[in-house]
Amino acid sequence: DAKTTQPPSMDCAEGRAANLPCNHSTISGNEYVYWYRQIHSQGPQYIIHGLKNNETNEMASLIITEDRKSSTLILPHATLRDTAVYYCIVRLNSGGSNYKLTFGKGTLLTVNP
Amino acid sequence: NAGVTQTPKFQVLKTGQSMTLQCAQDMNHEYMSWYRQDPGMGLRLIHYSVGAGITDQGEVPNGYNVSRSTTEDFPLRLLSAAPSQTSVYFCASRAGRHQETQYFGPGTRLLVL
C-alpha cells in the first residue's frame, strides 16, 4: 500500500486559499489519491479524488504532480467551518481489499478569523 | 435521504456487558464497513460487508461480530465489552466496487468502564 506523508498542522487566514500538501512517493500507477476531512466530533467527509489529472469540484481543487509522487488540496476561500483534520489517502487496489480506505494522522487545518 | 445513521450516539458500558451498535443507510449501497477511531491511531477497519449475507474481517476484528441480513442494516456487536474497546465507532457505506466515495455516519462514542 502506498503511504502518505502530511504535515501535522497548518494555519490559514479566513478568506484566503488553503493549500494542503501530501507526499505519496510510492504510489502505483492505478492508485487514486483521495482527500477526506473530519470536523471535530463528526464522521469523515469525502472531498475529492483523482488519478492523474487535476480535479475541481464545489468544495476544492486537487493538483497532482506529473510524476504523481505528491499532490495538493486547495480550498480556494477558506472559512472558519473548514477547520478540520484533512486526510490524504491512497486507495488500496489489491484484489478484495479495495473496500478499505487507510486513514493516517492527517493535517489539522485551523482557519483563523 | 438520511444517508448513514448510527445509534446510539453515546453509550457507557461496564466490562463484560454486551451491546449492539446500529448502523443503517438508505442509499442502497452494497458496501458497508465499521471503523474505530482512537487518539493518535487514525481510523482502523473492524469489519466490512460487500453485500447482504456477506461479511469479512478488517484489521481489528477481535471482540466484535457483524451480520448483514439486509442491504440497509449493518449492526456491530460487542460480545463482552473491555476497556480497550473505548473508542469512537464510525459506520460507512459506498455504492459498490467501482464507486470510490465512502459516506460516514456521525459516530457512536463508547466508554467501557
Side-chain angles (χ1 to χ4, degrees), chain B residues 29-71:
Chain B
H29 284 175
E30 290 183 64
Y31 281 43
M32 297 185 73
S33 52
W34 276 101
Y35 293 84
R36 60 177 288 175
Q37 186 172 38
D38 303 293
M41 299 290 290
L43 282 128
R44 293 182 290 170
L45 184 67
I46 305 172
H47 285 286
Y48 67 98
S49 169
V50 300
I54 306 169
T55 65
D56 207 343
Q57 296 181 350
E59 303 171 76
V60 288
N62 293 340
Y64 307 95
N65 275 357
V66 291
S67 59
R68 185 93 181 272
S69 56
T70 67
T71 299

Side-chain angles (χ1 to χ4, degrees), chain A residues 35-112:
Chain A
W35 284 84
Y36 281 74
R37 74 180 182 183
Q38 188 171 21
I39 297 170
H40 182 63
S41 299
Q42 297 183 22
Q45 177 190 22
Y46 166 82
I47 301 173
I48 198 167
H49 74 281
L51 182 62
K52 295 181 181 178
N53 299 322
N54 298 338
E55 302 288 343
T56 296
N57 63 20
E58 65 278 5
M59 289 183 67
S61 295
L62 174 61
I63 309 298
I64 302 174
T65 58
E66 190 170 346
D67 63 7
R68 303 210 323 125
K69 292 183 184 300
S70 65
S71 61
T72 300
L73 178 75
I74 301 172
L75 307 179
H77 305 287
T79 69
L80 299 179
R81 290 178 295 178
D82 292 322
T83 293
V85 178
Y86 287 78
Y87 295 98
C88 169
I89 300 160
V90 174
R91 176 180 175 267
L92 299 175
N93 189 28
S94 54
S97 63
N98 67 352
Y99 57 87
K100 177 180 170 182
L101 291 175
T102 300
F103 288 75
K105 296 185 178 181
T107 296
L108 172 60
L109 174 68
T110 302
V111 181
N112 300 306

